[in-house]
Amino acid sequence: MAFLVTGGCGFIGSNFVRLLRRAEPRQRVVNLDALTYAGNPANLSDLENDSSYQFVHGDISDRPLVDRVLSEHSIEAVFHFAAESHVDRSILDSGPFIRTNVLGTQTLLDASRAAKVRRFVHVSTDEVYGSLGEEGFFSETTPLAPNSPYAASKASSDMLVRACHHTHGFDTVITRCSNNYGPYQFPEKLIPLVISNIEAGLPIPVYGNGLQVRDWIHVADHAAGVLAAFRNGKAGEAYNFGGRCEKTNISLVKTLLNLMGKPETLIRHVADRPGHDRRYAIDCSKAERELGWQVRVDFSKGLADTVGWYRANPGWVETIRSGDYRRYYQSQYGHRGV
Ligand code: NAD
Ligand code: TYD
């Protein structure tokens, strides 16, 4: 018997695989990852000699491959992280988002049901709920109202997971988490982009007025939430996770500049993201009550540790800021980022 993690070479997946090896040391872990631009095997290089961990290079949309992985490894539970995950890229081209997030999830779900997997944990996002005004929080009963192609593709996958439980009685659990930060995050996302631009002496692009609000959570707390949902969640249910840590983008950028000893004159207000969601904020009381989960990482400490991690791993960032990332940065920001 073994656990399958999809997208384990990405940011959250790699942090989760590491947690799983510690928390369930007797379980074998298979990581199925297509190694897109965001997938980096170096994120799990510390597990190279771990005989209970195995990497399989492949696409979740490849049904024969998924069937083979599920049966060869007698997979008992699936933790589905694999996705195209960046809103701005989904605005530039939504095709890969539909292929992986919708068709890929459908393929994995159908194959998992056929293979009699015991539980399927689908890792989703708070962005499926759309945007909030000044007041209120997303709860699990908030209607889905996705605004970006990324959010729409994730909401579609949530609907397929829900329908699979309702129609076939398949044991599924959905997790919906707010914005993560921490080690191994690809520097297209706000926090690592700001840290690596500061390190490289580059300007910091802030979309529009920077007054959009995100609810930040450390990746370790999210990973613990996914594991708690697997262990204690009820089949067919969704659970929200958030950091109870709302920040405007502009205040977060200023905090990072301050932490890293750089002036606010590095800030550049650039064109706003089309359809930019104004505010995300999560009511995570259901997860606290029913899963025994709670946020553990204090934001100030988590952020300082994250800055420390990026500073201690310049080679990791440098490798990424080449090739495809250069082309993406140019098309997104209109100038070379490196
Ligand atoms: P990421 O972009 O860092 O990693 C995605 C991983 O999936 C990569 O390793 C990539 O190679 C792999 N992948 C992509 N397409 C694949 C395919 N077709 N087959 C197999 N593997 C494929 O993403 P992340 O930030 O770690 O997010 C992981 C999951 O968590 C996603 O489902 C995302 O929607 C969700 N999520 C992310 C956040 C966040 O703040 N980053 C918040 C809530 C939920
Ligand atoms: P991001 O990390 O892309 O996460 P998401 O869009 O999924 O919330 O962006 C976080 C916030 O930061 C979002 O409001 C967009 C904003 N942002 C910028 O202002 N500048 C940037 O260069 C990026 C990447 C994001």
Side-chain angles (χ1 to χ4, degrees), residues 7 9-13 32-36 38-39 58-61 81-85 100 123-125 150 154 177-180 185 189 222:
C9 293
F11 164 46
I12 306 171
L32 173 63
D33 197 298
L35 299 183
T36 68
D59 195 312
I60 55 164
S61 315
F81 290 85
E84 288 293 334
S85 68
T100 286
V123 180
S124 190
T125 165
Y150 161 67
K154 292 296 290 189
C177 189
S178 63
N179 288 63
N180 286 217
Q185 186 167 30
K189 306 277 172 36
H222 182 194

Side-chain angles (χ1 to χ4, degrees), residues 235-265:
E237 292 290 308
Y239 297 91
N240 284 352
F241 298 92
R244 295 189 198 280
C245 179
E246 292 183 49
K247 307 277 175 208
T248 61
N249 294 335
I250 191 71
S251 69
L252 176 56
V253 166
K254 287 181 179 172
T255 302
L256 281 166
L257 283 164
N258 193 29
L259 250 180
M260 297 178 72
K262 289 284 158 45
E264 292 181 8
T265 49

Side-chain angles (χ1 to χ4, degrees), residues 75 98 148 305:
I75 297 296
I98 303 307
S148 70
D305 288 352

Side-chain angles (χ1 to χ4, degrees), residues 86-88 127 179 188-190 193 205-207 212 214 216 249 273 276 280 333:
H86 190 39
V87 173
D88 292 323
E127 300 191 29
N179 288 63
E188 64 190 353
K189 306 277 172 36
L190 183 66
L193 184 137
V206 170
Y207 297 161
Q212 302 79 15
R214 296 294 182 263
W216 293 96
N249 294 335
R273 173 187 280 174
H276 200 168
Y280 302 149
Y333 297 99

